[in-house]
Amino acid sequence: MEIRTGDTFDPRVIALLDHHVTAARAQTAPGSAHALDLAGLRASDVAFWTGWDGDTLVATGALKALSAGHGEVKSMHTLQTARRRGYGGQMLRHIITEARARGLQRLCLETGSWDYFKPAHALYQAHGFVLCDPFEGYAEDPNSLFLTLDLIGG
């Protein structure tokens, strides 16, 4: 998979992100979905990447700066027909590498707590993320799972 800086104006990217947000919201209780929309991904505090297998867009991922030492993984998604091929892991490792290169000390994320999100939980935990309390404006929510990765010790 080739990882590139994401083009949020590319119709293929827009379509995959639309599917990601729609699918996540369909599996999440109202008020508990926190996916960034296109405007959010275009914000100056967000770095966004796309993963390509040839001409096929297979994955997305983003890193949102929360403070000088703290970042959040956002918009992690793999094309349904391309799952279980390691693309999600490649994108997550790219985000972790970028976070370290930017001097971040901690990386966090929020994901759904429902069965639909179990593959994501396994991916994050396989890369060293552990459960944590809500962070940066999130509130306790039985529909959310909060995870963190120490970038200094790991």
Side-chain angles (χ1 to χ4, degrees):
M1 177 174 79
E2 178 189 355
I3 297 176
R4 307 176 194 161
T5 299
D7 177 358
T8 58
F9 295 96
D10 183 320
R12 298 166 295 180
V13 173
I14 292 169
L16 186 59
L17 290 169
D18 182 56
H19 172 76
H20 166 64
V21 170
T22 301
R25 289 192 176 149
Q27 295 294 327
T28 306
S32 294
H34 304 287
L36 291 178
D37 60 13
L38 286 170
L41 288 171
R42 292 173 181 149
S44 62
D45 61 347
V46 175
F48 173 65
W49 297 278
T50 51
W52 299 82
D53 182 357
D55 291 330
T56 304
L57 173 62
V58 294
T60 63
L63 172 61
K64 181 177 181 179
L66 301 177
S67 70
H70 187 192
E72 181 180 7
V73 175
K74 299 295 290 182
S75 300
M76 281 285 299
H77 185 75
T78 303
L79 181 69
Q80 182 70 37
T81 58
R83 292 187 179 167
R84 309 211 49 84
R85 295 189 202 165
Y87 296 136
Q90 282 182 266
M91 183 61 75
L92 185 57
R93 286 188 297 278
H94 178 79
I95 292 170
I96 292 168
T97 298
E98 284 288 326
R100 283 191 171 115
R102 294 166 190 233
L104 300 183
Q105 300 162 357
R106 180 178 177 214
L107 199 52
C108 292
L109 63 92
E110 179 278 336
T111 189
S113 63
W114 301 16
D115 286 349
Y116 173 82
F117 298 97
K118 281 189 178 182
H121 303 165
L123 172 69
Y124 297 131
Q125 290 169 343
H127 285 82
F129 283 80
V130 296
L131 292 172
C132 68
D133 291 329
F135 59 92
E136 195 67 30
Y138 288 105
E140 280 292 338
D141 182 347
N143 299 305
S144 289
L145 193 67
F146 302 96
L147 299 165
T148 190
L149 177 66
D150 177 1
L151 297 173
I152 302 300

